Amino acid sequence: MNNFWIVFFKTLNRTLNMLTLASVILVFCLDMWFFDIPAPCQLFVACGKFFYGVGLSFIAAYIFYLITVHYPEVGNVRTVYKVSDFPAMAIVTNIERIFIDMAEKQGRDIKRENLNGELIKDILSSTRCYDDSTLNGVDSQGKTKAKNWLGYIVSVEKTYRSFINDVKPLYSQLDSEYVAAISEIEQCDFSQPIMAMLPFLILQREAQQQSQQNTDSITFGSGLEDFFLKLYNKSQALRKIIEERRLRYKY
């Protein structure tokens, strides 16, 4: 069966379905048996005709609703979620890419499915903030040079926020859970608080050990893990919602 019709039937209103079924049974029973039973008074006849008319009217109204409302609505909803799917999932994959790229730089082959809180903490504790990342940039002399991990996370944040802006025009047509999950990521402070905390971590390190080498060895595991984990958890909440909509609307 065509995916459209699968979605069409799966998204039917259960309450309306039950009322329509009850109306069909009522009309069928009245037409087949009850009208042939002699009524003790005209009140029963009037009630029978009234409910028969109501049942037929409800069935006709439901068929009209399916043709004029539900049919085009299913098509529109599937289209909206299909259009939003790429930028919404790009938000998630860009956030996941932070940890996959860090692991890759350490010579570790980690798949997205294997990421979890403990593994992310381990990756962050082995990634020095000022080391070269997997992302290249152009310096003031126009030469290509690897960005350090601080520049990397700033760049990735700009990327996933650009995808958030791509989804925003569709907010009015997406369900509230979908919109809320994206808004949670948008409102999550990420690179700026990390940059703000770093000077304090450097001062703390210098106070403990008078060595520039030790300062340069500061990792993202030096009290910065919470920012990464918070962002990652929000991305996984969004991923779950996106995957649920894919199953529901079959796109």
Side-chain angles (χ1 to χ4, degrees):
M1 184 183 290
N2 185 282
N3 284 341
F4 175 87
W5 292 107
I6 295 175
V7 177
F8 181 88
F9 288 112
K10 285 180 67 176
T11 54
L12 290 174
N13 187 293
R14 291 187 179 181
T15 302
L16 291 179
N17 287 343
M18 295 302 295
L19 290 173
T20 303
L21 178 61
S23 297
V24 170
I25 294 172
L26 175 64
V27 169
F28 179 81
C29 291
L30 285 170
D31 210 27
M32 289 295 293
W33 298 297
F34 294 160
F35 281 155
D36 294 331
I37 300 174
C41 65
Q42 289 299 315
L43 176 63
F44 284 82
V45 175
C47 288
K49 290 181 178 178
F50 173 77
F51 288 114
Y52 184 79
V54 170
L56 282 178
S57 299
F58 191 89
I59 294 169
Y62 188 62
I63 294 172
F64 182 78
Y65 161 79
L66 293 180
I67 296 171
T68 62
V69 178
H70 190 65
Y71 180 86
E73 188 177 76
V74 168
N76 292 337
V77 169
R78 286 186 77 234
T79 299
V80 169
Y81 280 98
K82 188 174 182 178
V83 170
S84 68
D85 186 82
F86 175 77
M89 186 55 81
I91 298 167
V92 176
T93 54
N94 271 276
I95 293 171
E96 293 170 343
R97 186 166 62 89
I98 296 172
F99 312 107
I100 294 172
D101 284 354
M102 286 181 176
E104 180 185 333
K105 196 69 174 180
Q106 298 168 19
R108 303 162 70 178
D109 184 18
I110 294 176
K111 305 298 183 184
R112 189 273 305 173
E113 295 81 3
N114 298 328
L115 287 174
N116 56 60
E118 290 304 315
L119 180 57
I120 288 172
K121 287 181 180 179
D122 181 50
I123 292 170
L124 293 172
S125 65
S126 302
T127 303
R128 293 185 293 189
C129 302
Y130 293 102
D131 276 359
D132 290 343
S133 70
T134 57
L135 186 66
N136 290 329
V138 180
D139 61 18
S140 57
Q141 297 178 345
K143 295 181 179 179
T144 301
K145 182 181 178 182
K147 291 186 177 183
N148 61 30
W149 287 108
L150 293 173
Y152 172 94
I153 64 172
V154 171
S155 179
V156 170
E157 182 174 13
K158 288 179 181 178
T159 300
Y160 75 68
R161 288 192 183 278
S162 71
F163 285 114
I164 291 175
N165 291 331
D166 289 341
V167 183
K168 278 186 175 181
L170 302 172
Y171 274 8
S172 61
Q173 301 175 72
L174 298 169
D175 64 80
S176 58
E177 186 183 27
Y178 200 109
V179 173
I182 297 175
S183 298
E184 284 284 324
I185 294 175
E186 182 182 19
Q187 295 167 14
C188 182
D189 291 331
F190 181 50
S191 63
Q192 287 187 354
I194 292 173
M195 297 294 189
M197 282 188 64
L198 203 58
F200 295 100
L201 293 175
I202 292 173
L203 289 173
Q204 184 181 33
R205 179 67 65 88
E206 289 178 343
Q208 294 173 351
Q209 302 175 1
Q210 297 296 325
S211 171
Q212 183 63 36
Q213 183 179 0
N214 288 326
T215 299
D216 290 340
S217 67
I218 290 178
T219 69
F220 288 110
S222 306
L224 303 173
E225 307 98 323
D226 289 345
F227 297 106
F228 289 90
L229 290 172
K230 183 178 180 182
L231 183 65
Y232 173 74
N233 290 333
K234 291 181 184 299
S235 75
Q236 295 311 290
L238 177 57
R239 173 180 279 279
K240 182 178 179 181
I241 291 171
I242 293 170
E243 290 174 347
E244 287 176 352
R245 299 307 179 271
R246 285 176 175 177
L247 288 173
R248 182 185 303 177
Y249 295 110
K250 304 294 181 183
Y251 55 82

